[in-house]
């Protein structure tokens, strides 16, 4: 049965369903307990599963992250919330030196099946430190799986997959999407997971996610033939609007929602670019040394002979995220994306 | 903390709090932030040990109770009428600033406002306890303190108005930019104090944070650095009982936040955070001591966040109206007003004049924030580096071109 659901509620439902299915899943962070998180993503979890399974910690991100590492080492599956993108930085040392490296340092003996949820990016008129696009820091750190859902269905599915994933996942939630809505057949989605009551606290036996896991797989969000727009997270909705506008002008643009930044789905991206021969990468983060740069490099290396034009980027400027009244100048806009498309050396130009 | 002396002054060694910089232990050595001989314990006849000297009072220091009555305290004399009147003036303005800012949020002129309603005594005292050349390191909640230190109210609210991340020059009134990443500013305060010390200046730095922020690693690093380098920093924690939804008892199980001082080798003190007189006395003493080379101190004020964390928060989800109501009679304005009236220092005319002053500030806020301000997109690229990189010049040109095409 199809229902209307927000992105936030989908995440909340995914957490509840995983906690129901697996007793080793614990949720903690700042204000995630009785309050249900400042974005209400953990709403009702303490009430339903008890304070031992969903709880507030003292206010210290490094502490949260370090403790999660220990809990993951000892058979639990912590899902921690960093309250906002920029407030995850005090935990950076734990993330980079330990979350990312522990399995490598121990030759795979210690696995860290944990999820780091981060409300991220801008477009909400937030004041400083509440709008950072921090994906490049994480993507640049070998050992971290980094994903960013952009649809309500992916929010649900990818969070469940992330919790079951054998390695640590940085789960980026575009906060401007929290209250976006979609029609969803929740029961059908839920039924893909079966209803085993897992109890992995005695032995960390990860159950696989459904075979067609979205972690590592990009999706074609809109089919087209003339050029490929490659994007993820908060920029997907803007890019979809740009593609719709281009269609009215007679240009058929394919849109790829990367959704899994690491591992990166070369196959889907390259197949599309080989088909269209042109590409623009769109992302909200500053462009210099970014995920967008990486995507451009990969496309250029793999599709050189199919390309009719250089692969372009539309990104945030290389500046600190601006104050609310200036953010519209900064964010990739439909016009800026279409301008880039216009520059892809069309014969008719 | 049962059994500790209450309202009638403190005598036990453990209740010494911090005195002037002349406090000595029995060896005759001044306590200089270094660890004293750990074998010295507080005995009945012993002079004060380092530990006892550093421990906070058994009860939060209170000089004027909620009914406006003076409570005697051996260690902390009551500030004089003039000082209290000056503070009262700022309290009234501060309350008006909070009310006006809340209204401006409702009218869409401010993006958000973390109110210090109920904490105005702390706000005002933290600005008044230092001089014009001393530094204040505020947080997002300390708008009233920033204004009390002399910063223009409209410039102060630029951050929340959304025009820029800050609207004032930190050097003008020696007020650092309001910090949102919790506890980070405490280390900057330590650095400013350290530089002042190296330069031979007698600057004192007051560094503010909340109860929740004391859990961050930076809080502990800042206290330790200040103590090890023996720096003139007064760490002032406004314990308003909540970090957003998380109550203090989930933040710490220490006897008090002020007790954390001793672990770093500095004195801690706790004070009724709704008692302006006590705040001025306790902070004043800590500032004097720091200025005379006595080193850092930690002061914890017991107060209450009367409103939601910000307008975006719904406090009814995590606390009861009854709990909030309990704090209403402890209001800092009510009690200081009662005391000053009793003293005959606060006359009707003065009250009117003060109310007028508060209205002027409120009008200034409305005028300043209701005016349509122009933001300049070129500003985006202006202050990232001293010299724009070629990439930034390119990006600025691209935006300029875009905007000129839009307006064409
Ligand atoms: C490093 C960091 N983590 C999280 C936050 C989000 N945050 C903003 S205010 C706040 C609560 C702070 O509580 P407290 O220190 O008691 O100060 P209060 O707001 O009560 O004045 C939190 C968690 C932040 N600003 N910085
Ligand atoms: Mg607090």
């Amino acid at each position: 049965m199809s229902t209307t659901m927000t992105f936030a509620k989908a995440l909340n439902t995914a957490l509840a369903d995983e906690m129901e299915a697996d007793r080793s899943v614990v949720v903690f962070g700042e204000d995630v307990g009785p309050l249900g998180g400042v974005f209400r993503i953990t709403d009702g979890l303490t009430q339903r599963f008890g304070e031992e399974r969903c709880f507030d910690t003292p206010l210290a991100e490094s502490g949260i992250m370090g403790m999660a590492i220990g809990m993951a080492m000892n058979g639990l599956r912590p899902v921690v919330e960093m309250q906002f993108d920029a407030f995850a930085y005090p935990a950076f040392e734990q993330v980079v030196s330990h979350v990312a490296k522990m399995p490598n340092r121990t030759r795979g003996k210690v696995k860290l099946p944990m999820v780091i949820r981060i409300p991220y990016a801008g477009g909400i008129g937030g004041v400083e430190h509440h709008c950072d696009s921090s994906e490049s820091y994480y993507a640049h750190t070998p050992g971290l799986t980094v994903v960013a859902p952009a649809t309500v269905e992916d929010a649900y599915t990818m969070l469940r997959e992330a919790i079951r994933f054998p390695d640590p996942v940085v789960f980026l939630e575009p906060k401007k999407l929290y209250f976006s809505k979609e029609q969803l057949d929740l029961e059908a989605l839920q039924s893909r997971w079966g209803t085993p009551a897992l109890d992995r606290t005695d032995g960390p036996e990860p159950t696989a996610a459904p075979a067609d896991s979205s972690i590592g797989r990009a999706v074609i969000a809109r089919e087209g033939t003339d050029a490929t727009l490659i994007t993820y997270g908060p920029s997907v909705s803007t890019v979809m609007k740009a593609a719709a506008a281009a269609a009215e002008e007679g240009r058929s643009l394919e849109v790829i929602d990367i959704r899994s930044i690491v591992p990166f789905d070369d196959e889907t991206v390259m197949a599309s670019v080989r088909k269209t021969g042109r590409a623009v990468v769109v992302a909200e983060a500053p462009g210099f040394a970014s995920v967008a740069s990486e995507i451009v490099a990969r496309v250029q290396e793999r599709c050189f002979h199919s390309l009719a034009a250089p692969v372009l980027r539309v990104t945030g400027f290389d500046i600190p995220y601006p104050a609310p009244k200036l953010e519209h100048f900064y964010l990739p806009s439909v016009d800026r994306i279409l301008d880039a498309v216009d520059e892809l050396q069309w014969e008719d130009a | 903390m049962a059994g500790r002396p209450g309202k009638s002054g403190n005598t036990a060694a453990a209740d010494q709090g911090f005195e002037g910089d002349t406090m000595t232990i029995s060896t005759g050595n001044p306590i200089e932030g270094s660890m004293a001989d750990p074998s010295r314990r507080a005995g009945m006849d012993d002079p004060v040990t380092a530990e006892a000297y550093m421990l906070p009072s058994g009860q939060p220091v209170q000089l004027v109770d909620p009914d406006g009555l003076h409570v005697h305290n051996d260690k902390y004399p009551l500030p004089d009428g003039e000082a209290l009147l000056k503070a009262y003036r700022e309290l009234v303005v501060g309350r008006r600033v909070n009310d006006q800012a809340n209204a401006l949020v409702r009218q869409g002129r401010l993006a958000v406002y973390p109110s210090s309603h109920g904490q105005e005594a702390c706000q005002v005292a933290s600005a008044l306890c230092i001089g014009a050349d001393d530094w204040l390191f505020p947080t997002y909640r300390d708008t009233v303190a920033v204004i009390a230190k002399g910063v223009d109210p409209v410039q102060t609210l630029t951050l929340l108005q959304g025009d820029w991340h800050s609207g004032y020059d930190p050097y003008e009134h020696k007020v650092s930019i309001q910090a949102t990443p919790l506890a980070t500013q405490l280390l900057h305060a330590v650095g400013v104090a350290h530089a002042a010390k190296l330069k031979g200046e007698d600057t004192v730095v007051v560094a503010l944070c909340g109860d929740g922020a004391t859990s961050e690693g930076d809080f502990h690093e800042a206290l330790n650095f200040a103590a090890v380098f023996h720096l003139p920093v007064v760490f002032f924690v406004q314990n308003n009982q909540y970090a957003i939804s998380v109550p203090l008892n989930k933040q710490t199980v220490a006897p008090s936040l002020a007790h954390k001082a001793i672990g770093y080798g500095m004195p801690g003190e706790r004070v009724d955070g709704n008692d302006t007189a006590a705040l001025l006395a306790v902070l004043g003493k800590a500032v004097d001591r720091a200025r005379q080379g006595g080193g850092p101190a930690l002061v914890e004020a017991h107060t209450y966040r009367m409103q939601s964390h910000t307008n975006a928060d719904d406090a009814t989800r995590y606390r009861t109206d009854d709990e909030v109501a309990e704090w209403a009679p402890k209001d800092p304005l009510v009690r200081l007003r009662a005391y000053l009236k009793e003293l005959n220092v606060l006359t009707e005319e003065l009250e009117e004049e003060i109310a007028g002053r508060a209205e002027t500030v409120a009008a200034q806020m409305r005028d300043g924030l209701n005016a349509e301000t122009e933001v300049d997109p070129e500003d985006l690229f202006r202050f990232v580096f001293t010299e724009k990189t070629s990439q930034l010049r390119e990006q600025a040109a691209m935006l300029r071109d875009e905007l000129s095409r839009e307006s064409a």
Side-chain angles (χ1 to χ4, degrees):
Chain A
M1 204 192 67
S2 177
T3 46
T4 307
M5 193 177 254
T6 62
F7 195 92
K9 185 63 187 166
L11 293 168
N12 177 256
T13 309
L15 284 172
D17 289 354
E18 263 325 271
M19 289 177 86
E20 187 68 47
D22 181 352
R23 282 211 322 129
S24 65
V25 176
V26 286
V27 172
F28 54 94
E30 295 159 7
D31 302 288
V32 300
L35 180 66
V38 294
F39 293 107
R40 306 290 185 264
I41 307 303
T42 58
D43 193 19
L45 299 181
T46 299
Q47 292 83 343
R48 176 162 163 201
F49 297 101
E51 266 193 52
E52 294 192 340
R53 305 262 326 263
C54 177
F55 55 91
D56 290 326
T57 64
L59 212 175
E61 295 77 12
S62 180
I64 293 167
M65 201 63 73
M67 187 167 82
I69 292 170
M71 290 171 93
M73 283 177 74
N74 201 8
L76 298 187
R77 296 201 160 227
V79 180
V80 299
E81 175 174 304
M82 298 282 105
Q83 199 161 80
F84 280 85
D85 31 60
F87 305 144
Y89 301 149
F92 203 58
E93 138 92 329
Q94 291 289 351
V95 173
V96 173
S97 296
H98 302 293
V99 174
K101 291 178 182 164
M102 187 72 83
N104 184 258
R105 290 162 63 216
T106 59
R107 301 179 69 86
K109 295 208 170 52
V110 176
K111 297 279 192 193
L112 296 180
M114 56 189 273
V115 177
I116 304 166
R117 291 185 37 247
I118 309 180
Y120 99 115
I124 56 158
V127 295
E128 57 170 0
H129 313 298
H130 292 78
C131 299
D132 281 15
S133 283
S134 43
E135 67 269 30
S136 301
Y137 307 137
Y138 301 110
H140 194 69
T141 303
L144 298 178
T145 296
V146 184
V147 304
T151 65
V152 176
E153 181 171 335
D154 276 352
Y156 177 83
T157 304
M158 293 182 82
L159 184 50
R160 292 199 71 172
E161 287 170 351
I163 294 171
R164 295 190 182 206
F165 207 65
D167 294 320
V169 177
V170 176
F171 193 88
L172 301 168
E173 303 169 2
K175 60 178 93 72
K176 82 167 191 197
L177 298 182
Y178 274 145
F179 303 106
S180 65
K181 286 182 188 150
E182 258 172 49
Q183 285 288 116
L184 206 63
D185 189 344
L186 184 65
E187 273 159 38
L189 270 184
Q190 282 170 322
S191 69
R192 297 172 62 221
W193 297 83
T195 46
L198 305 174
D199 184 357
R200 284 197 295 249
T201 48
D202 296 327
E205 205 44 62
T207 9
D212 55 346
S213 173
S214 9
I215 295 180
R217 277 186 38 248
V219 278
I220 296 174
R222 179 187 173 108
E223 292 200 22
T225 50
D226 297 344
T228 305
L229 301 179
I230 306 162
T231 188
Y232 56 89
S235 302
V236 172
S237 53
T238 318
V239 169
M240 291 297 275
K241 280 183 208 138
E248 278 172 27
E249 293 167 15
R251 211 161 252 162
S252 162
L253 303 180
E254 182 143 301
V255 177
I256 297 189
D257 173 3
I258 293 298
R259 58 181 193 175
S260 173
I261 296 170
V262 181
F264 187 80
D265 181 358
D266 280 318
E267 207 182 305
T268 302
V269 172
M270 303 315 155
S272 171
V273 177
R274 284 191 193 111
K275 178 179 84 179
T276 62
R278 289 177 169 83
V280 176
V281 182
V282 183
E284 195 178 306
F288 199 89
S290 67
V291 169
S293 318
E294 174 63 25
I295 298 175
V296 172
R298 304 187 78 76
V299 171
Q300 226 106 242
E301 285 161 359
R302 285 162 182 75
C303 304
F304 184 76
H305 295 290
S306 313
L307 286 171
V311 181
L312 299 182
R313 278 175 297 167
V314 178
T315 65
F317 300 126
D318 297 323
I319 62 171
Y321 195 87
K325 287 195 190 164
L326 289 148
E327 79 176 349
H328 65 285
F329 295 119
Y330 170 91
L331 292 169
S333 62
V334 168
D335 283 346
R336 203 172 282 165
I337 294 164
L338 293 178
D339 282 353
V341 170
D342 282 344
E343 277 175 43
L344 294 175
Q345 305 186 9
W346 305 92
E347 282 99 59
D348 54 21
Chain B
M1 294 283 94
R4 290 280 176 78
K7 284 190 171 181
S8 54
N10 306 308
T11 47
D15 283 323
Q16 287 298 319
F18 49 82
E19 292 291 326
D21 62 330
T22 54
M23 173 61 65
T24 56
I25 53 172
S26 58
T27 56
N29 294 329
I31 293 172
E32 283 249 306
S34 57
M35 298 298 284
D37 177 358
S39 66
R40 301 203 68 82
R41 293 257 152 257
M44 287 314 281
D45 310 314
D46 260 358
V48 182
T49 61
E51 293 93 319
Y53 167 71
M54 290 175 193
L55 280 172
S57 300
Q59 298 290 327
V61 174
Q62 187 183 69
L63 296 181
V64 175
D65 75 10
D67 296 326
L69 300 174
H70 172 46
V71 183
H72 175 76
N73 187 303
D74 283 343
K75 285 181 304 178
Y76 300 104
L78 194 71
D80 62 32
E82 198 184 324
L84 292 178
L85 188 61
K86 185 173 172 199
Y88 181 72
R89 191 181 288 273
E90 294 300 330
L91 277 187
V92 174
V93 172
R95 175 64 51 87
R96 190 70 188 88
V97 166
N98 278 327
D99 290 345
Q100 184 60 67
N102 283 331
L104 286 162
V105 171
R106 289 192 295 272
Q107 293 151 17
R109 308 308 302 188
L110 291 176
V112 64
Y113 184 68
S115 169
S116 62
H117 188 112
Q119 299 174 227
E120 289 93 345
C122 296
Q123 296 285 303
V124 165
S126 57
L128 295 190
C129 71
I130 43 177
D133 289 332
D134 295 326
W135 275 87
L136 182 70
F137 277 76
T139 75
Y140 52 89
R141 193 167 310 283
D142 302 316
T143 300
V144 169
V146 171
I147 293 171
K149 183 113 181 13
V151 179
D152 175 81
V154 177
Q155 285 183 9
T156 305
L157 289 165
T158 301
L159 164 70
L160 304 174
Q161 183 187 17
D163 285 33
W164 201 258
H165 312 297
S166 168
Y168 57 89
D169 174 357
Y171 294 105
E172 192 182 343
H173 295 281
K174 305 282 195 290
V175 178
S176 189
I177 182 167
Q178 286 178 274
T180 298
L182 299 166
T184 53
Q185 75 281 5
L186 304 178
L187 283 155
H188 313 158
V190 166
V192 164
H194 203 162
K197 185 180 172 185
L198 295 181
K199 292 196 295 177
E201 297 163 359
D202 71 346
T203 314
V204 174
V205 182
V206 168
L208 306 180
C209 74
D211 45 302
T214 66
S215 294
E216 291 281 4
D218 279 4
F219 173 83
H220 301 270
E221 296 181 23
L223 263 68
N224 194 40
F225 272 51
V228 166
F229 293 112
H230 201 64
L231 301 173
V233 184
V234 176
F235 297 96
F236 181 38
V237 180
Q238 289 169 75
N239 170 7
N240 62 8
Q241 316 298 333
Y242 284 92
I244 308 185
S245 71
V246 181
L248 186 71
N249 64 9
K250 296 219 177 136
Q251 212 62 251
T252 180
V253 293
S256 80
L257 294 173
H259 277 80
K260 292 179 188 265
I262 187 170
Y264 299 101
M266 72 174 78
E269 185 58 289
R270 48 182 156 176
V271 50
D272 180 337
N274 290 10
D275 177 358
T276 313
L279 284 159
L280 289 174
V282 170
L283 287 171
K285 197 162 228 174
V287 167
D288 290 347
R289 179 179 170 276
R291 199 180 313 282
Q292 288 156 23
L298 171 65
V299 177
E300 173 193 8
H302 292 239
T303 182
Y304 195 77
R305 200 193 72 212
M306 294 300 287
Q307 299 177 339
S308 285
H309 174 70
T310 67
N311 52 289
D313 174 41
D314 173 11
T316 62
R317 287 178 77 104
Y318 51 83
R319 67 183 190 186
T320 62
D321 290 347
D322 286 351
E323 182 189 308
V324 181
E326 265 176 48
W327 281 83
K330 301 179 193 164
D331 189 89
L333 275 83
V334 171
R335 108 172 51 173
L336 190 55
R337 178 167 179 273
Y339 179 72
L340 290 173
K341 282 228 154 256
E342 187 62 34
L343 270 192
N344 280 328
V345 173
L346 189 61
T347 59
E348 297 264 311
E349 298 89 82
L350 261 179
E351 281 215 80
E352 253 171 54
E353 187 221 305
I354 293 171
R357 166 81 196 125
E359 276 318 310
T360 309
V361 173
Q364 199 188 339
M365 287 167 68
R366 286 193 301 272
D367 292 348
L369 294 164
N370 284 325
E372 282 312 325
T373 47
E374 277 290 318
V375 285
D376 180 0
E378 294 279 336
D379 276 353
L380 289 174
F381 307 96
R382 250 178 210 135
F383 313 105
V384 186
F385 299 106
T386 306
E387 187 98 25
K388 272 190 206 110
T389 60
S390 59
Q391 290 78 27
L392 286 185
R393 283 199 297 272
E394 229 172 61
Q395 292 167 23
M398 184 202 114
L399 179 59
R400 219 176 295 133
D401 172 60
E402 240 180 41
L403 295 173
S404 70
R405 280 185 288 135
E406 255 173 42
S407 61

